[in-house]
């Protein structure tokens, strides 16, 4: 009886643990974005070198989850999440005490490994623990990530105003993260029970990649993260160059992420059909992005950025939940595949937007996001139709 009570308590602490970890991951992400110029100034970096700081972080997110996702499925997600704690704290320490660019690059890579593996294992564990609440729990946990990204710049700016250097980003993130170690020890990581119609045997990466539906879901996540990155990175240029209203750019980025956060909280507490929400979100966002691309009014464009953020809020959690549900014994591996797809989209789409903007203008680069959203809409409709057909067969 005592063992059962301890297990029940451990299941209840899993959601707070993952939410807390993702808040810190969002916090450090937003903080690093804020202090990049300060880091470049201290280490005398040019723009290319400054950008490579972020590149090192994304390289880790692209290569580490696929390795540790499979290990988590085989040996246990709790053990791998504990290793992610070590990666993250070590990366923060390395960056905190870096005396040159090389040291900072190493720190960012190790920290990126901790963030990506931690997010992968935490997300997969949540999906395993309560399949019936998978979309809700993932929306709630991801709202903490975006919430951390929202509040971080304000907190770090205040701390730097009080006399701290840019290193306070890594110091504060590590200190907050330490408080979740006891919660990790107490949390239980149950294995998802078998569900009818789903794949129950653990599969290799190559076997999973033969699934057409998984490929479609990965494409959708690539597009989502690509559009998310495109809006966030090009908002400043769009408001400054196209609309001549630089004062609106910071508000557009902050309110966009706030809308994402609130949307994820909402979809974390209400009951919805995930497939229909995914299709509707991409479809409606495509329409809103059309109006944003042709907008000549800064307040209207700001409002449209907020609407896009709200529509896109539930997409990441719902896509990942849909993938994990279909491959119950390989949820860690599947989640890692989805995250790699998202990372690739986040790295690729801003580059494509830059090419379009260089050869045409920023409005056409925003138009590229419209095309991608339409593609994702039809991909979601394809997945939904296949599921309906299978259910009635």
């Amino acid at each position: 009886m005592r063992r059962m009570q301890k297990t029940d308590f451990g299941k209840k602490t899993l959601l707070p643990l993952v939410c807390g970890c993702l808040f810190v991951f969002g916090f450090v992400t937003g903080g690093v974005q804020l202090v990049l110029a300060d880091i470049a100034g201290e280490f005398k970096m040019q723009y290319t070198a400054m950008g490579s700081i972020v590149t090192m972080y994304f390289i880790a997110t692209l290569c580490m989850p696929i390795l540790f996702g499979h290990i988590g499925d085989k040996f246990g997600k709790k053990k791998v999440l504990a290793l992610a704690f070590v990666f993250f704290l070590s990366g923060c320490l390395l960056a905190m005490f870096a005396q040159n660019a090389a040291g900072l690059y190493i720190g960012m890579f190790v920290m990126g490994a901790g963030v990506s593996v931690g997010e992968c294992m935490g997300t997969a564990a949540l999906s395993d623990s309560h399949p019936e609440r998978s979309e809700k729990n993932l929306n709630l946990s991801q709202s903490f990530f975006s919430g951390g990204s929202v509040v971080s710049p304000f907190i770090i700016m205040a701390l730097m105003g009080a006399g701290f250097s840019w290193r306070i980003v890594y110091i504060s993130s590590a200190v907050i993260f330490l408080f979740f170690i006891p919660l990790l020890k107490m949390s239980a990581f149950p294995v998802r029970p078998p569900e009818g119609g789903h794949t129950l045997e653990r599969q290799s990466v190559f076997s999973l990649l033969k699934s057409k539906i998984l490929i479609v879901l990965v494409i959708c996540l690539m597009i989502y993260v690509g559009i998310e990155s495109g809006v966030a990175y090009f908002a400043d240029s769009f408001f400054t160059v196209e609309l001549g209203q630089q004062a609106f750019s910071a508000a557009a980025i902050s309110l966009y992420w706030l809308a994402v956060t609130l949307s994820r909280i909402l979809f974390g507490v209400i009951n919805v059909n995930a497939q229909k929400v995914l299709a509707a979100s991409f479809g409606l966002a495509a329409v809103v992005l059309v109006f944003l691309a042709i907008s000549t009014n800064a307040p209207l464009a700001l409002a449209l950025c907020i609407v896009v953020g709200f529509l896109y809020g539930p997409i990441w959690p719902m896509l990942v939940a849909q993938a994990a549900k279909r491959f119950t014994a390989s949820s860690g591996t599947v989640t890692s595949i989805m995250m790699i797809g998202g990372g690739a989209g986040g790295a690729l789409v801003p580059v494509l937007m830059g090419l379009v903007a260089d050869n045409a203008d920023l409005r056409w680069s925003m138009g590229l996001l419209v095309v991608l959203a339409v593609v994702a809409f039809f991909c979601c409709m394809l997945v939904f139709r296949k599921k309906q057909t299978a259910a009635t067969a």
Side-chain angles (χ1 to χ4, degrees), residues 61-62 65-66 209 214-215 217-226 316 334-349:
T61 64
L62 286 172
I66 194 66
L209 290 176
L214 179 58
I215 294 299
L217 290 173
V218 170
I219 291 172
C220 288
L221 196 66
M222 287 180 65
I223 292 174
Y224 163 72
V225 178
W316 194 101
V334 167
T335 302
S336 69
I337 292 172
M338 294 289 286
M339 290 183 64
I340 289 172
L348 180 61
V349 171

Side-chain angles (χ1 to χ4, degrees), residues 9-346:
F9 177 76
K11 289 181 179 179
K12 292 179 180 178
T13 61
L14 181 59
L15 180 59
L17 169 67
V18 177
C19 288
C21 290
L22 289 179
F23 175 85
V24 178
F25 295 161
F27 185 90
V28 75
T29 300
V32 171
Q33 291 173 349
L34 177 70
V35 303
L36 271 179
D38 297 276
I39 294 173
E42 179 170 329
F43 292 148
K44 297 180 174 56
M45 294 178 172
Q46 295 184 342
Y47 286 118
T48 302
M50 183 173 71
S52 64
I53 296 173
V54 181
T55 300
M56 292 301 296
Y57 177 88
F58 273 106
I59 288 174
T61 64
L62 286 172
C63 65
M64 300 300 279
I66 194 66
L67 171 63
F68 287 96
H70 185 69
I71 293 175
D73 286 333
K74 189 173 182 179
F75 297 103
K77 297 180 179 65
K78 185 172 184 176
K79 294 178 181 178
V80 177
L81 185 57
L83 186 60
F85 269 59
V86 175
F87 284 152
F88 182 79
L89 291 171
S90 299
C92 286
L93 287 172
L94 288 169
M96 187 190 313
F97 293 108
Q99 298 301 310
N100 50 47
L104 185 65
Y105 289 154
I106 295 172
M108 287 296 293
F109 179 86
V110 176
M111 189 185 76
V115 170
S116 57
V117 174
E119 185 176 17
C120 176
M121 288 297 100
T123 298
L126 279 184
S127 185
D128 288 343
S129 62
H130 296 285
E132 74 284 357
R133 288 184 51 85
S134 184
E135 286 86 1
K136 287 185 177 182
N137 285 343
L138 265 60
N139 266 298
L140 283 174
S141 64
Q142 284 297 316
S143 73
F144 277 81
F145 183 94
S146 51
S149 299
V150 171
V151 303
S152 175
F154 298 102
I155 295 175
I156 297 302
M157 193 177 297
L159 290 171
M160 292 180 69
F164 291 96
S165 73
W166 56 266
R167 299 174 193 270
I168 193 62
V169 172
Y170 302 101
I171 298 171
S172 55
S173 299
V175 170
I176 298 171
F177 207 66
L178 287 172
F179 286 96
F180 297 108
I181 294 178
L183 205 57
L184 173 64
K185 186 177 181 180
M186 291 186 291
S187 296
F189 285 62
V191 177
R192 173 182 285 169
E195 298 178 41
H198 292 153
T199 303
L200 304 179
E201 295 181 0
R202 190 164 59 241
Q203 300 178 73
S204 67
V205 174
F206 298 105
S207 177
L208 289 168
L209 290 176
K210 294 178 182 178
S211 169
K212 294 180 181 179
I213 290 182
L214 179 58
I215 294 299
V216 172
L217 290 173
V218 170
I219 291 172
C220 288
L221 196 66
M222 287 180 65
I223 292 174
Y224 163 72
V225 178
I227 295 176
E228 178 188 87
S229 300
V231 172
Y233 281 107
F234 279 78
D236 179 62
S237 298
F238 184 77
F239 279 92
T240 302
V241 177
E242 293 294 333
L243 302 181
Q245 297 287 341
Q246 186 177 12
F248 281 82
S249 60
I253 296 173
S254 295
L255 293 176
Y256 170 84
W257 282 111
L258 180 60
V260 171
T261 304
L262 295 176
S263 177
R264 287 174 174 172
I265 293 173
L266 174 64
F267 283 97
V269 297
I270 63 175
N271 294 313
V272 294
N273 183 304
Q275 292 284 351
K276 292 181 179 179
V277 169
L278 285 169
S281 295
F282 276 119
L284 291 173
V287 176
V288 176
L289 286 168
V290 169
F291 286 102
L292 179 60
I294 64 176
S295 175
T296 57
N297 180 274
L300 175 60
L302 175 63
L304 292 172
C305 285
I306 296 172
V307 174
V308 170
F310 187 85
L311 289 171
Y312 271 25
I315 292 180
W316 194 101
M318 287 186 174
L319 283 173
V320 174
Q322 288 294 306
K325 278 184 173 182
R326 297 193 68 87
F327 303 91
T328 58
S330 304
S331 58
T333 307
V334 167
T335 302
S336 69
I337 292 172
M338 294 289 286
M339 290 183 64
I340 289 172

